[in-house]
Amino acid sequence: MVTQLSIPTGAGVFDAIAAGPPEGRPVLLLHGFPQTGLVWRRQIAALAAHGYRVVAPDQRGYSPGARPQRPEDYRIGLLVDDVVAISEQLGWAAFDLVGHDWGGAVAWWTAHTHPGRVRTLTVVSTPHPGALANTLRTDEDQRARSQYMIDWRETPATEERMLADDARMLRGFYAETVPRDSADAYVRHLSQPGALTAALNWYRAGRPDGAIGVIDVPTLYVWSTGDSAFGPAAAQETERWVDGPYRFETLPGVSHWIPEEAPDTLSRLLLDHLRAHGEH
């Protein structure tokens, strides 16, 4: 049974969905843009059925109770602090961490800065930030793929364009690969006053305060050949940024929206990864 949680922290109250026995091995799932914790519903069901305790919060800006207004309040260090604060409030000294899209970026940084807390790392779609930075300097294909980030960061009217005409632009991101009921739920959520601006502030927050290094925890990275945002150069270079046990899985023909387009495959890979590194 999936339940709703409210998780109070010093940064505000985070909404979340959860499932699985309270005593189960804890797994934290981080969503990306423009979605919510709902993106993980199929993985939540699969993990809970195998005895894991799974929590998927709506991250900073997506939870109404944790929605600061300034772009600088969405710096990566603060997003990582949210992960730690949520885990502490849940009573988790260590946990398995999973992230997709922007949630993947936060997951990489959390594993780097708090390796003692992260038992295993699974990142979906998003390459290691160091690999992405390198390919943005050297790979024309990745620069073209990432141009949208610059456009959204520097265009004040982005919110209006995305929500105009019954959120036609926002709905277009999901490109028929996200279930219609989920896409409708995301649009409703991001149409709340201030919600889309908060989500876009992740792009407007500026560069990280420091540099990220290699990851030492056991890591699964899942990338798909149909991803429009992240190309093969950054995906393939990611291996250079992981010193711990590493598994790289490529899903042919699947789009960026892996958790919803290939839910069973992703759930299987995730369960295999968890079992391989410290089964409960």
Side-chain angles (χ1 to χ4, degrees), residues 21 33 54 75 90-91 113 151 174 192 196 198 201 213 222 226 258 262:
F33 178 89
V54 193
R75 299 190 309 275
L90 292 170
T113 55
D151 295 341
Y174 309 119
Q192 298 171 4
L196 186 54
N201 279 342
V222 184
I258 293 174

Side-chain angles (χ1 to χ4, degrees), residues 117-141:
R117 291 182 177 272
V118 179
R119 181 184 289 110
T120 70
L121 174 66
T122 300
V123 179
V124 185
S125 301
T126 314
H128 184 285
L132 180 58
N134 282 348
T135 53
L136 283 171
R137 289 190 295 268
T138 62
D139 184 65
E140 182 61 36
D141 173 67

Side-chain angles (χ1 to χ4, degrees), residues 23-67:
E23 71 279 5
R25 175 173 159 181
V27 183
L28 190 68
L29 302 165
L30 305 178
H31 68 86
F33 178 89
Q35 299 178 299
T36 66
L38 180 66
V39 67
W40 299 112
R41 61 181 178 178
R42 294 284 293 275
Q43 288 74 43
I44 289 171
L47 292 173
H50 285 81
Y52 293 88
R53 178 59 175 172
V54 193
V55 176
D58 292 347
Q59 295 200 78
R60 178 178 292 229
Y62 294 83
S63 285
R67 185 174 289 164

Side-chain angles (χ1 to χ4, degrees), residues 149-279:
M149 298 185 192
I150 299 173
D151 295 341
W152 293 353
R153 188 164 58 238
E154 298 180 354
T155 305
T158 298
E159 291 91 323
E160 289 81 357
R161 289 192 295 116
M162 288 187 179
L163 293 177
D165 192 17
D166 190 29
R168 181 177 180 180
M169 180 178 175
L170 184 58
R171 291 181 186 278
F173 295 150
Y174 309 119
E176 305 298 326
T177 58
V178 172
R180 178 62 182 270
D181 61 336
S182 294
D184 288 343
Y186 301 144
V187 169
R188 286 194 302 272
H189 193 92
L190 291 169
S191 296
Q192 298 171 4
L196 186 54
T197 294
L200 288 167
N201 279 342
W202 288 53
Y203 295 92
R204 297 165 175 162
R207 295 182 179 276
D209 297 330
I212 189 172
V214 297
I215 305 301
D216 293 325
V217 303
T219 299
L220 167 66
Y221 175 40
V222 184
W223 175 76
S224 50
T225 62
D227 195 312
S228 60
F230 302 115
Q236 292 162 6
E237 187 180 329
T238 290
E239 181 176 10
R240 296 179 51 228
W241 293 84
V242 181
D243 275 351
Y246 180 68
R247 181 177 177 182
F248 176 41
E249 290 288 340
T250 299
L251 306 186
V254 176
S255 76
H256 178 73
W257 313 108
I258 293 174
E260 291 165 308
E261 187 177 352
D264 295 337
T265 299
L266 179 58
S267 295
R268 175 180 55 80
L269 291 171
L270 179 53
L271 284 165
D272 287 348
H273 183 54
L274 297 178
R275 290 166 178 155
H277 301 284
E279 179 61 283

